[in-house]
Amino acid sequence: MEEQFQNRVKSFIERDCLIDASMPVLVALSGGADSVSLLRVLHDLGYNCRAAHCNFHLRGEESNRDEMFVTELCKNLGVHLDVKHFDVPAYMSEHGVSMEMACRELRYEWFEELRQKHGCSCIAVAHHNDDNIETFFLNVMRGTGIAGLAGMKPRNGAVVRPLLCVSRAEILDWLAEIGQDYVTDSTNLENDAKRNRLRNIVLPALYREFEGAKTALLTTIENMRHCNELYRESVGVLRNIVSDREDDSLVIDLEILNSFGNREMLLYEILKPLGFNHDQCDDMFSSAVGRHFVSATHKATINRETIEVFAQQNRDENVYIVNLESDVEEPIALRVNHVENEPFSPAMVDGRRSVAFSSDILKCSEVLLRHWREGDRFKPFGMNGSKLVSDLFTDLKLSEKEKNEAWLLEADGGIVWVLGYRASQTYKVSKNATRYLIISF
């Protein structure tokens, strides 16, 4: 049994290339049976192990008992041990997260710091195949897709799970065979958490009633893992509906997207890495042109033929008062040319990057530069009535990045120039006038 257990773990590690034997491996060590078996089997297989133990001080003397146990264990094995004490309630209060999430974030952040500090190839954690079945059912009850049905990966970034190939019962049998003791977390015996109820009540009943259910579930999870890998590869191929711009924005072709039978799911897979959820992707197909959807890091805009996605940037929302008596240097450079005794001709400006204004603009009490805002209107040169600046941008088919970078010149509350795109007829210069300003951008 002892040699068979080790060989199974060794084969699993080699099959999935989980650990680089030329580098140290950081082992997350709680002191429980699972983590103790992980440290022992990796150590016995000859890997250069370093251990890390978190003391969250959530179980009184039990927490201190665990620390003392892992300290003695590592001393006996000749394994270097790092221990860190955490104030979990303070972290929960500061970040507004649950106790479970606080512990998870604290330990993995620290594990990664240790991994980099000590040059470890990976962080080994002790999840086994019973944990994987529990995760499968928890994901099903939350509502999940293929990725959730695939359970835990043998490798997720720098985190590896060498014990996914064995069960909890096999771990306990192996520890008993080699005479290795461990500590027991008393909270695992309580049924107040969903995972504990699954582990202690639901799954034992399922296995009693349906012979072979556990093996079938593990086979299903493995099959779904391969399906998920194929699915991800296929989505990667279908990503040709997306164009990457030099400014790192994405443009999704709606005509091609609409040709797929499950367009909502395909859009979700494209936008999920950018923080968008299922409901947002579903709503994008029924939304009016111009509507925005926002994730934590990106913004998606619905256009007539495309969905445009770009990273949200901290735009300069300041308002800059400027003096048109001379050239402007901040926030952008404008050359202001005061013309006198020279008849004006429309050919002297292009109306976009150079514009002409009547000298009456110098009588304004406040002239300023700012970025555009939703609802901004102006009176375009040569047009009766007013127009939304956003409609001008749509007509010009500007990208979201170009819109966000556009500057407006405003005089006494009225927009007189969308720099680089269109001038207003306000303060227009009469033909053959001999006193006016030409401003170049």
Side-chain angles (χ1 to χ4, degrees):
M1 168 66 182
E2 178 180 350
E3 186 175 340
Q4 181 184 16
F5 183 90
Q6 292 177 351
N7 288 339
R8 284 181 61 188
V9 175
K10 183 174 185 291
S11 297
F12 186 71
I13 292 172
E14 292 174 350
R15 187 198 75 178
D16 285 82
C17 302
L18 299 184
I19 301 176
D20 183 349
S22 67
M23 301 172 67
V25 53
L26 183 68
V27 180
L29 181 64
S30 68
D34 303 338
S35 67
V36 168
S37 69
L38 175 63
L39 178 63
R40 280 299 309 265
V41 73
L42 294 182
H43 178 267
D44 292 354
L45 288 172
Y47 291 103
N48 179 12
C49 298
R50 298 182 66 100
H53 176 76
C54 301
N55 191 335
F56 294 118
H57 295 280
L58 297 175
R59 292 179 287 114
E61 283 305 311
E62 243 188 45
S63 295
N64 296 327
R65 175 209 65 183
D66 295 352
E67 181 180 333
M68 292 174 61
F69 174 82
V70 299
T71 300
E72 187 66 21
L73 173 64
C74 291
K75 179 181 177 182
N76 293 337
L77 294 176
V79 171
H80 179 87
L81 173 68
D82 285 294
V83 176
K84 186 165 185 177
H85 297 253
F86 294 95
D87 186 344
V88 176
Y91 187 91
M92 292 169 60
S93 176
E94 181 180 353
H95 294 84
V97 296
S98 67
M99 181 181 296
E100 181 181 7
M101 184 58 67
C103 292
R104 175 183 173 80
E105 291 178 358
L106 285 168
R107 66 174 175 264
Y108 278 107
E109 181 179 344
W110 181 53
F111 291 161
E112 179 59 22
E113 289 176 4
L114 288 177
R115 186 188 72 82
Q116 295 186 29
K117 177 181 178 181
H118 299 305
C120 298
S121 64
C122 58
I123 302 163
V125 295
H127 296 123
H128 46 74
N129 60 31
D130 289 284
D131 292 322
N132 220 3
I133 292 174
E134 293 165 12
T135 299
F136 172 87
F137 277 104
L138 287 172
N139 288 340
V140 168
M141 288 187 290
R142 293 187 188 107
T144 189
I146 296 178
L149 296 176
M152 293 181 282
K153 300 176 183 178
R155 172 183 287 277
N156 186 14
V159 176
V160 299
R161 300 180 173 92
L163 298 185
L164 283 183
C165 60
V166 295
S167 68
R168 168 77 172 180
E170 290 171 319
I171 287 171
L172 295 177
D173 288 344
W174 182 70
L175 289 175
E177 184 175 344
I178 65 174
Q180 175 63 61
D181 58 349
Y182 51 88
V183 294
T184 300
D185 182 345
S186 60
T187 61
N188 288 336
L189 305 177
E190 301 171 359
N191 292 324
D192 55 341
K194 287 182 180 179
R195 185 178 287 274
N196 285 1
R197 294 200 294 275
L198 266 174
R199 176 183 302 155
N200 301 329
I201 301 173
V202 177
L203 290 176
L206 179 68
Y207 299 151
R208 284 195 306 270
E209 295 296 325
F210 298 94
E211 184 178 355
K214 183 175 181 179
T215 300
L217 284 167
L218 290 172
T219 300
T220 297
I221 292 171
E222 181 70 8
N223 290 341
M224 292 308 299
R225 185 164 75 91
H226 293 307
C227 287
N228 187 49
E229 291 171 358
L230 177 61
Y231 178 67
R232 304 236 56 84
E233 292 173 0
S234 300
V235 169
V237 172
L238 294 175
R239 202 177 179 275
N240 61 6
I241 68 172
V242 180
S243 301
D244 295 299
R245 287 182 171 151
E246 290 183 0
D247 61 6
D248 294 329
S249 63
L250 303 179
V251 181
I252 301 172
D253 190 311
L254 281 172
E255 182 178 0
I256 299 177
L257 185 61
N258 288 330
S259 68
F260 288 92
N262 202 339
R263 59 181 188 172
E264 291 85 2
M265 182 59 73
L266 179 55
L267 180 62
Y268 171 65
E269 291 297 338
I270 293 170
L271 296 183
K272 179 170 66 173
L274 305 181
F276 294 92
N277 60 40
H278 269 296
D279 291 339
Q280 287 176 307
C281 294
D282 288 347
D283 290 346
M284 288 182 191
F285 290 98
S286 57
S287 296
V289 170
R291 183 177 173 187
H292 304 299
F293 293 83
V294 178
S295 74
T297 57
H298 286 72
K299 181 177 179 181
T301 301
I302 309 302
N303 300 319
R304 292 188 180 92
E305 299 175 352
T306 62
I307 298 174
E308 188 178 15
V309 188
F310 68 103
Q312 296 196 76
Q313 300 174 339
N314 294 324
R315 191 176 71 161
D316 185 354
E317 299 293 350
N318 293 322
V319 173
Y320 297 86
I321 297 175
V322 296
N323 182 359
L324 296 183
E325 294 288 353
S326 59
D327 290 347
V328 175
E329 301 296 337
E330 295 290 343
I332 54 174
L334 298 179
R335 182 182 178 187
V336 182
N337 183 21
H338 293 258
V339 182
E340 294 187 12
N341 301 321
E342 181 179 350
F344 173 73
S345 168
M348 299 170 72
V349 295
D350 63 17
R352 296 184 299 276
R353 301 193 68 83
S354 60
V355 297
F357 293 111
S358 162
S359 293
D360 289 342
I361 197 171
L362 298 175
K363 300 176 183 177
C364 292
S365 59
E366 184 177 74
V367 178
L368 54 86
L369 281 165
R370 64 173 174 84
H371 283 301
W372 80 285
R373 304 167 185 149
E374 291 287 351
D376 278 338
R377 281 186 171 273
F378 78 124
K379 298 177 180 180
F381 191 85
M383 173 182 168
N384 293 324
S386 65
K387 186 183 185 78
L388 283 168
V389 174
S390 59
D391 287 343
L392 171 68
F393 291 159
T394 299
D395 293 344
L396 296 172
K397 298 182 178 180
L398 299 189
S399 69
E400 284 296 324
K401 185 173 186 294
E402 290 170 324
K403 295 176 187 177
N404 280 336
E405 291 178 349
W407 288 92
L408 307 182
L409 184 68
E410 183 180 298
D412 281 351
I415 297 168
V416 295
W417 185 18
V418 182
L419 278 69
Y421 300 107
R422 193 79 178 265
S424 166
Q425 60 183 343
T426 309
Y427 303 109
K428 68 180 180 180
V429 183
S430 302
K431 190 175 182 180
N432 296 322
T434 58
R435 191 168 179 269
Y436 49 92
L437 280 71
I438 291 180
I439 306 178
S440 301
F441 167 50

